[in-house]
Amino acid sequence: MKLFDKVFAYTWGSAFYDSSNSYIIVDEDTAIIDPGTFKSYTNLIGLMRNDGIESVDIVLNTHLHKDHCESNEMFLRKGALLGFSEKDLSISLYNYKSDIKLGKFLCLGKLDIEIIRTPGHSPGSLTYYLQEYGAAITGDLIFENGFPGRFDLYGCNKNDLIKSLEKIRDLEPEYILPGHLRIMKGRSGIYMLLEKAIEILSRY
């Protein structure tokens, strides 16, 4: 589904509840963020082709949990380069090697992606922020209805998760593109959802 001029969103809902949403940015280079699991790969490729996307140059991960990164290999075999935070190797099932050293920005052409460190759900969780659209691709930081990402898994840190939510709250995004469930829209509503997630975590 085309979300913005250069951005496509593939959100699964209950169809593949155990696979992450995927987002693709098409510029001079084409990047996919969180390819998801093998289970959803065939459907993802079909939807991409329907949208005229035939190849991917760069694979980016918000974090290295299986449901977000299992299908990395399917794109790497076709020559794509991989980028993620190496802090997540300590919690990953996969021995990936990062081809791209991610700094504060990644340029795909005319569109710059701001890379924001948002640990908590995992040690190296990243948010990819598209300032042109006010859109934050947040992985498992927050979900619809203001529920925070899990903080009871190996490598999670509740205090880091709170700080990361505060960081994205202060960014005041117009869109949150989460790792699962539906996209959130509206600056004031998103601010309230982030506040709710922070409050939930503060109670525990």
Side-chain angles (χ1 to χ4, degrees), residues 90-190:
S90 64
I91 55 92
S92 179
L93 298 172
Y94 307 97
N95 189 28
Y96 291 129
K97 179 181 177 182
S98 182
D99 302 304
I100 302 170
K101 185 173 178 61
L102 297 177
K104 292 185 177 180
F105 292 92
L106 178 65
C107 181
L108 299 179
K110 295 181 180 179
L111 183 65
D112 284 337
I113 304 172
E114 184 178 354
I115 300 165
I116 303 171
R117 270 64 186 175
T118 48
H121 178 68
S122 76
S125 284
L126 300 174
T127 289
Y128 298 97
Y129 183 59
L130 310 178
Q131 186 174 8
E132 181 173 334
Y133 308 109
I137 302 170
T138 55
D140 288 356
L141 180 68
I142 186 172
F143 306 113
E144 62 180 302
N145 299 325
F147 291 106
R150 289 183 64 177
F151 55 94
D152 59 335
L153 304 172
Y154 176 73
C156 294
N157 184 296
K158 185 185 74 170
N159 291 331
D160 284 346
L161 189 57
I162 290 173
K163 291 176 184 177
S164 294
L165 287 161
E166 290 172 342
K167 188 182 295 185
I168 300 304
R169 177 200 63 192
D170 295 344
L171 196 64
E172 297 186 348
E174 182 66 33
Y175 297 88
I176 291 284
L177 281 53
H180 302 274
L181 304 174
R182 294 180 295 183
I183 291 169
M184 292 160 265
K185 179 181 178 181
R187 185 171 285 110
S188 61
I190 286 172

Side-chain angles (χ1 to χ4, degrees), residues 68-87:
H68 292 254
C69 72
E70 187 179 43
S71 285
N72 282 5
E73 185 61 35
M74 308 302 283
F75 294 94
L76 300 182
R77 289 176 186 174
K78 298 178 182 179
L81 301 177
L82 178 61
F84 60 88
S85 169
E86 294 189 352
K87 289 183 178 181

